[in-house]
Amino acid sequence: MAALCRGRHRWKRTNCWHVLTRNLTGRYDYDLVVIGGGSGGLACSKEAAQLGLKVAVLDYVEPSVKGTKWGLGGTCVNVGCIPKKLMHQAALLGTAVKDAKKYGWQISGPVSHDWATMAEAVQNHVRSLNWGHRVQLQDKKVKYLNIKGSLLDEHTSHIKSCTVFIHIPGAIEHGLTSDDVFWLKKSPGKTLVVGASYVALECAGFLTGIGLDTTVMVRSIALRGFDQQMAGLVTDYMGSYGTRFAWKCVPKRVDKLPSGALQVTWTNTETNNEHSGTYDSVLWAVGRAPETKALGLDKLGVQLNNETGKIVVGPDESTSVPNIFAFGDIGEGRPELTPTAIKAGKLLARRLAGQSTKLMNYDNVPTTVFTPLEYGCVGLSEEEAEKRHGKDGIEIYHAFYKPLEFTVAERDASQCYIKVVCEQGEDQKILGLHFTGPNAGEVTQGFAMAFQCGATYSHLLQTVGIHPTCAEEVIKVNITKRSG
């Protein structure tokens, strides 16, 4: 995620903070300054440099409350997509070991997981990516400055986000966030995950998968913004997988006991009854907030959404102030996804270099939640489709299915499900596709391209499947919800 400015710029150092200034001639040292060395910022800076612009990237990581810090690459590389997927893979391998016995593998003795081995391997890979990004910037002649930036005028800005804590006694001093969990040297042990976002469920999923006693505390609903039927399937599977859920509960305080364990007190919002439990770790996964309030953006006229703190942007990533652009997670209403930030950053660089006028298309962006049973989707949820087109204006095709690999292993496939949301009419344009099952990301990525081509239900039926695969089940759906 990044915000950037256009013009020629000059920087100087002021008490550990760096600002960009203009010299007496009115000229600047850079054509483009990108503030934020995440996926989008790096993509934008490298693209702009390749197109002949003189570019600088400013990136500085404030340590978390627990002192965790990391290198270049942003949330995705260091405390998001990459370490999350690798730890998810560790959990999947644990399940595969259990399945292996049914397939004839002779595994003697108990199988256990060693956190330290996994963590070291994952952290070493992340560090290799940090180094790789620095090398790429150097190769493309992008100036990398490991410093902070702040917005002083229409020629520079500062973009940063931080994890959010719930403000209750003991939350900060005794809690972890996703900024910390991937960099722990020792196992977090019995863990309470507070929150039900995709980050919360993914973390809870891999913690359960490697054998840790894990509970998810949910204030209201899981996977807000996603199709809620699919969200229910995801959490149902997690429950059968071993993850505990404390629904309709709100934490009140966290106390550290003499034993070192953490006692969490919470209230059930339906009964108003108070409960407590002890854990080794409490992981707060209740979202990220942009750090824009202290930057003086309002003084420059940069319009923010007062509720979210995010920057209001136009279709071309422009803000309300000329020369200042914002894209990635910081943009109001933008998907908080690495691939969208990368693509938006590259397209912006091309426009600023005068090489293109093409805008980012934020419609039908695919994504996957890497929970124990993966959930991939592209397009509209059933709720959103009904809101836009009316209940009688959509047709929903759906099916439960059993992955072939689940059969010999005798695994439960009750939550493996496909939903195709179509617009009513002769063509039945596909509005949304939802899939829970193995390798959901791989399945969804393929169908996502069809959305860019205006895929219809007829196109789906005309497609020849690859047998035997889970993706093949998508093109076979023929039963409508309306039919019962």
Side-chain angles (χ1 to χ4, degrees):
M1 51 188 174
L4 48 100
C5 49
R6 190 182 183 188
R8 295 195 64 83
H9 302 273
R10 199 179 171 85
W11 66 274
K12 67 179 182 181
R13 183 170 185 140
T14 307
N15 295 331
C16 297
W17 281 77
H18 292 68
V19 297
L20 299 170
T21 59
R22 180 166 43 189
N23 61 24
L24 294 176
T25 66
R27 295 185 178 183
Y28 297 89
D29 289 341
Y30 295 100
D31 299 307
L32 179 67
V33 174
V34 180
I35 301 189
S39 303
L42 293 175
C44 180
S45 63
K46 289 185 286 187
E47 185 75 11
Q50 282 187 305
L51 295 173
L53 299 185
K54 189 173 183 181
V55 184
V57 172
L58 280 64
D59 186 72
Y60 181 82
V61 178
E62 287 280 6
S64 72
V65 174
K66 292 295 183 182
T68 307
K69 54 185 178 180
W70 53 86
L72 184 64
T75 299
C76 173
V77 168
N78 295 283
V79 291
C81 317
I82 299 302
K84 174 272 302 291
K85 182 69 181 294
L86 291 173
M87 292 190 179
H88 171 62
Q89 176 64 15
L92 292 181
L93 289 172
T95 301
V97 170
K98 297 175 184 176
D99 290 352
K101 297 177 182 179
K102 298 279 186 160
Y103 281 92
W105 286 95
Q106 302 301 305
I107 300 173
S108 60
V111 176
S112 61
H113 181 268
D114 182 66
W115 175 278
T117 300
M118 175 191 70
E120 183 180 9
V122 170
Q123 291 160 13
N124 284 342
H125 177 67
V126 169
R127 290 189 184 98
S128 74
L129 297 178
N130 298 148
W131 176 251
H133 283 308
R134 294 187 67 165
V135 170
Q136 289 174 23
L137 290 179
Q138 185 176 20
D139 289 346
K140 297 183 185 301
K141 296 181 171 51
V142 175
K143 181 69 173 180
Y144 165 55
L145 302 169
N146 183 214
I147 56 177
K148 294 180 180 180
S150 62
L151 195 151
L152 301 178
D153 55 33
E154 70 273 19
H155 296 289
T156 182
S157 60
H158 172 90
I159 296 302
K160 194 174 182 291
S161 71
C162 63
T163 48
V164 175
F165 287 89
I166 294 176
H167 294 291
I168 61 171
I172 295 177
E173 56 266 46
H174 301 314
L176 302 170
T177 70
S178 57
D179 285 352
D180 307 302
V181 70
F182 300 113
W183 291 91
L184 294 176
K185 301 297 183 184
K186 297 180 180 179
S187 170
K190 182 181 179 182
T191 303
L192 174 67
V193 179
V194 181
S197 64
Y198 71 90
V199 173
L201 297 187
E202 289 174 337
C203 289
F206 72 67
L207 291 174
T208 302
I210 62 174
L212 301 182
D213 186 335
T214 308
T215 300
V216 178
M217 184 172 289
V218 187
R219 176 177 58 87
S220 53
I221 62 173
L223 296 178
R224 185 178 302 278
F226 288 86
D227 186 289
Q228 284 303 291
Q229 181 189 9
M230 306 305 291
L233 294 171
V234 167
T235 54
D236 285 350
Y237 185 90
M238 289 182 68
S240 65
Y241 187 69
T243 306
R244 295 183 176 89
F245 283 85
W247 293 98
K248 307 297 181 183
C249 292
V250 177
K252 305 300 290 184
R253 62 182 301 111
V254 182
D255 296 295
K256 192 165 187 176
L257 302 176
S259 64
L262 301 177
Q263 179 173 286
V264 182
T265 303
W266 67 87
T267 300
N268 184 299
T269 58
E270 290 185 325
T271 65
N272 288 323
N273 291 334
E274 191 171 278
H275 306 270
S276 65
T278 57
Y279 303 89
D280 297 314
S281 299
V282 177
L283 173 62
W284 301 99
V286 292
R288 286 182 174 271
E291 291 189 318
T292 53
K293 292 183 179 179
L295 298 176
L297 300 178
D298 54 335
K299 296 178 181 178
L300 296 175
V302 177
Q303 185 181 356
L304 301 178
N305 181 308
N306 292 328
E307 291 185 7
T308 65
K310 293 190 174 187
I311 298 175
V312 176
V313 292
D316 61 350
E317 325 303 343
S318 61
T319 69
S320 54
V321 176
N323 299 326
I324 297 177
F325 299 82
F327 64 95
D329 294 8
I330 202 70
E332 177 61 34
R334 300 303 196 218
E336 295 183 3
L337 298 169
T338 290
T340 53
I342 291 173
K343 187 170 287 292
K346 288 182 177 180
L347 290 173
L348 177 57
R350 292 168 193 167
R351 293 196 300 273
L352 294 178
Q355 300 296 311
S356 173
T357 58
K358 186 175 178 60
L359 300 176
M360 175 66 188
N361 178 9
Y362 288 100
D363 292 330
N364 297 322
V365 173
T367 191
T368 292
V369 183
F370 291 101
T371 37
L373 185 70
E374 297 176 4
Y375 165 37
C377 60
V378 57
L380 303 182
S381 65
E382 181 177 347
E383 293 89 347
E384 185 62 28
E386 186 174 314
K387 181 180 177 181
R388 294 189 190 186
H389 299 275
K391 193 167 187 177
D392 293 331
I394 60 174
E395 191 74 86
I396 297 174
Y397 296 89
H398 68 147
F400 286 93
Y401 71 100
K402 188 160 190 174
L404 183 62
E405 51 266 48
F406 279 29
T407 56
V408 171
E410 299 179 338
R411 288 172 60 184
D412 181 19
S414 300
Q415 289 83 32
C416 293
Y417 179 73
I418 297 161
K419 178 194 292 189
V420 181
V421 183
C422 299
E423 187 176 8
Q424 276 282 27
E426 185 177 349
D427 292 335
Q428 290 195 305
K429 180 181 179 181
I430 300 177
L431 303 173
L433 187 148
H434 303 265
F435 176 97
T436 51
N439 306 304
E442 314 299 338
V443 173
T444 308
Q445 182 71 81
F447 285 103
M449 190 177 78
F451 273 68
Q452 300 301 317
C453 305
T456 66
Y457 180 64
S458 296
H459 291 141
L460 203 64
L461 296 181
Q462 292 167 23
T463 301
V464 177
I466 299 173
H467 185 72
T469 64
C470 293
E472 174 190 23
E473 301 298 326
V474 177
I475 66 169
K476 291 160 57 177
V477 291
N478 61 78
I479 297 174
T480 66
K481 274 194 172 183
R482 198 185 305 275
S483 67

mmCIF file of all heavy atoms in Angstrom, residues 58-75:
data_model
loop_
_atom_site.group_PDB
_atom_site.id
_atom_site.type_symbol
_atom_site.label_atom_id
_atom_site.label_comp_id
_atom_site.label_asym_id
_atom_site.label_seq_id
_atom_site.Cartn_x
_atom_site.Cartn_y
_atom_site.Cartn_z
ATOM 1 N N LEU A 58 10.360 5.483 0.186
ATOM 2 C CA LEU A 58 10.569 5.654 1.612
ATOM 3 C C LEU A 58 9.802 4.572 2.349
ATOM 4 O O LEU A 58 8.598 4.404 2.132
ATOM 5 C CB LEU A 58 10.078 7.025 2.081
ATOM 6 C CG LEU A 58 10.991 8.231 1.843
ATOM 7 C CD1 LEU A 58 11.193 8.487 0.362
ATOM 8 C CD2 LEU A 58 10.410 9.475 2.514
ATOM 9 N N ASP A 59 10.493 3.830 3.204
ATOM 10 C CA ASP A 59 9.817 2.779 3.961
ATOM 11 C C ASP A 59 10.490 2.622 5.315
ATOM 12 O O ASP A 59 11.715 2.503 5.399
ATOM 13 C CB ASP A 59 9.873 1.444 3.211
ATOM 14 C CG ASP A 59 9.059 0.370 3.907
ATOM 15 O OD1 ASP A 59 7.817 0.458 3.858
ATOM 16 O OD2 ASP A 59 9.661 -0.560 4.487
ATOM 17 N N TYR A 60 9.678 2.650 6.361
ATOM 18 C CA TYR A 60 10.211 2.478 7.705
ATOM 19 C C TYR A 60 9.181 1.726 8.532
ATOM 20 O O TYR A 60 7.988 2.050 8.502
ATOM 21 C CB TYR A 60 10.504 3.835 8.360
ATOM 22 C CG TYR A 60 11.085 3.713 9.746
ATOM 23 C CD1 TYR A 60 12.450 3.482 9.928
ATOM 24 C CD2 TYR A 60 10.269 3.814 10.872
ATOM 25 C CE1 TYR A 60 12.988 3.365 11.198
ATOM 26 C CE2 TYR A 60 10.802 3.697 12.149
ATOM 27 C CZ TYR A 60 12.163 3.466 12.309
ATOM 28 O OH TYR A 60 12.693 3.334 13.557
ATOM 29 N N VAL A 61 9.623 0.711 9.248
ATOM 30 C CA VAL A 61 8.712 -0.111 10.047
ATOM 31 C C VAL A 61 8.860 0.227 11.520
ATOM 32 O O VAL A 61 9.932 0.046 12.104
ATOM 33 C CB VAL A 61 8.990 -1.619 9.830
ATOM 34 C CG1 VAL A 61 8.068 -2.452 10.715
ATOM 35 C CG2 VAL A 61 8.814 -1.986 8.369
ATOM 36 N N GLU A 62 7.792 0.729 12.100
ATOM 37 C CA GLU A 62 7.765 0.931 13.548
ATOM 38 C C GLU A 62 7.590 -0.428 14.214
ATOM 39 O O GLU A 62 6.704 -1.197 13.839
ATOM 40 C CB GLU A 62 6.585 1.828 13.936
ATOM 41 C CG GLU A 62 6.771 3.284 13.571
ATOM 42 C CD GLU A 62 7.642 4.029 14.584
ATOM 43 O OE1 GLU A 62 8.180 3.364 15.493
ATOM 44 O OE2 GLU A 62 7.777 5.249 14.445
ATOM 45 N N PRO A 63 8.400 -0.772 15.194
ATOM 46 C CA PRO A 63 8.209 -2.048 15.890
ATOM 47 C C PRO A 63 6.813 -2.136 16.500
ATOM 48 O O PRO A 63 6.218 -1.124 16.871
ATOM 49 C CB PRO A 63 9.285 -2.023 16.975
ATOM 50 C CG PRO A 63 10.319 -1.062 16.467
ATOM 51 C CD PRO A 63 9.557 -0.020 15.714
ATOM 52 N N SER A 64 6.283 -3.340 16.574
ATOM 53 C CA SER A 64 4.991 -3.538 17.217
ATOM 54 C C SER A 64 5.130 -3.273 18.712
ATOM 55 O O SER A 64 6.236 -3.054 19.226
ATOM 56 C CB SER A 64 4.500 -4.973 16.989
ATOM 57 O OG SER A 64 5.265 -5.880 17.771
ATOM 58 N N VAL A 65 4.017 -3.304 19.412
ATOM 59 C CA VAL A 65 4.043 -3.097 20.859
ATOM 60 C C VAL A 65 4.963 -4.112 21.528
ATOM 61 O O VAL A 65 5.638 -3.813 22.511
ATOM 62 C CB VAL A 65 2.614 -3.197 21.433
ATOM 63 C CG1 VAL A 65 2.635 -3.142 22.956
ATOM 64 C CG2 VAL A 65 1.735 -2.088 20.870
ATOM 65 N N LYS A 66 5.018 -5.326 20.967
ATOM 66 C CA LYS A 66 5.874 -6.382 21.512
ATOM 67 C C LYS A 66 7.311 -6.282 21.023
ATOM 68 O O LYS A 66 8.152 -7.099 21.375
ATOM 69 C CB LYS A 66 5.302 -7.759 21.135
ATOM 70 C CG LYS A 66 3.991 -8.088 21.814
ATOM 71 C CD LYS A 66 4.161 -8.210 23.317
ATOM 72 C CE LYS A 66 2.875 -8.601 23.999
ATOM 73 N NZ LYS A 66 3.024 -8.681 25.472
ATOM 74 N N GLY A 67 7.594 -5.281 20.180
ATOM 75 C CA GLY A 67 8.954 -5.087 19.694
ATOM 76 C C GLY A 67 9.281 -5.808 18.404
ATOM 77 O O GLY A 67 10.436 -5.801 17.960
ATOM 78 N N THR A 68 8.289 -6.421 17.771
ATOM 79 C CA THR A 68 8.524 -7.124 16.512
ATOM 80 C C THR A 68 8.774 -6.127 15.389
ATOM 81 O O THR A 68 8.052 -5.144 15.248
ATOM 82 C CB THR A 68 7.309 -8.003 16.146
ATOM 83 O OG1 THR A 68 7.001 -8.857 17.249
ATOM 84 C CG2 THR A 68 7.604 -8.847 14.923
ATOM 85 N N LYS A 69 9.787 -6.379 14.593
ATOM 86 C CA LYS A 69 10.061 -5.534 13.434
ATOM 87 C C LYS A 69 10.513 -6.415 12.280
ATOM 88 O O LYS A 69 10.868 -7.580 12.460
ATOM 89 C CB LYS A 69 11.110 -4.479 13.763
ATOM 90 C CG LYS A 69 12.409 -5.009 14.330
ATOM 91 C CD LYS A 69 13.331 -3.870 14.738
ATOM 92 C CE LYS A 69 14.614 -4.400 15.356
ATOM 93 N NZ LYS A 69 15.527 -3.305 15.767
ATOM 94 N N TRP A 70 10.487 -5.848 11.085
ATOM 95 C CA TRP A 70 10.803 -6.635 9.902
ATOM 96 C C TRP A 70 11.342 -5.752 8.802
ATOM 97 O O TRP A 70 11.512 -4.549 8.971
ATOM 98 C CB TRP A 70 9.564 -7.405 9.435
ATOM 99 C CG TRP A 70 8.354 -6.541 9.240
ATOM 100 C CD1 TRP A 70 8.010 -5.839 8.126
ATOM 101 C CD2 TRP A 70 7.329 -6.268 10.204
ATOM 102 N NE1 TRP A 70 6.841 -5.148 8.322
ATOM 103 C CE2 TRP A 70 6.399 -5.402 9.583
ATOM 104 C CE3 TRP A 70 7.104 -6.681 11.523
ATOM 105 C CZ2 TRP A 70 5.263 -4.933 10.249
ATOM 106 C CZ3 TRP A 70 5.970 -6.216 12.170
ATOM 107 C CH2 TRP A 70 5.071 -5.359 11.536
ATOM 108 N N GLY A 71 11.596 -6.340 7.654
ATOM 109 C CA GLY A 71 12.254 -5.632 6.573
ATOM 110 C C GLY A 71 11.322 -5.147 5.474
ATOM 111 O O GLY A 71 10.095 -5.095 5.631
ATOM 112 N N LEU A 72 11.908 -4.803 4.352
ATOM 113 C CA LEU A 72 11.197 -4.242 3.200
ATOM 114 C C LEU A 72 10.219 -5.257 2.613
ATOM 115 O O LEU A 72 10.522 -6.434 2.522
ATOM 116 C CB LEU A 72 12.231 -3.826 2.147
ATOM 117 C CG LEU A 72 11.727 -3.128 0.893
ATOM 118 C CD1 LEU A 72 11.092 -1.781 1.225
ATOM 119 C CD2 LEU A 72 12.888 -2.929 -0.090
ATOM 120 N N GLY A 73 9.058 -4.772 2.218
ATOM 121 C CA GLY A 73 8.089 -5.654 1.571
ATOM 122 C C GLY A 73 6.673 -5.491 2.063
ATOM 123 O O GLY A 73 5.737 -6.010 1.467
ATOM 124 N N GLY A 74 6.498 -4.783 3.181
ATOM 125 C CA GLY A 74 5.154 -4.501 3.661
ATOM 126 C C GLY A 74 4.503 -5.656 4.390
ATOM 127 O O GLY A 74 5.123 -6.678 4.703
ATOM 128 N N THR A 75 3.220 -5.494 4.645
ATOM 129 C CA THR A 75 2.447 -6.474 5.406
ATOM 130 C C THR A 75 2.453 -7.837 4.735
ATOM 131 O O THR A 75 2.680 -8.863 5.379
ATOM 132 C CB THR A 75 0.999 -5.985 5.574
ATOM 133 O OG1 THR A 75 1.001 -4.742 6.297
ATOM 134 C CG2 THR A 75 0.157 -7.006 6.322
#
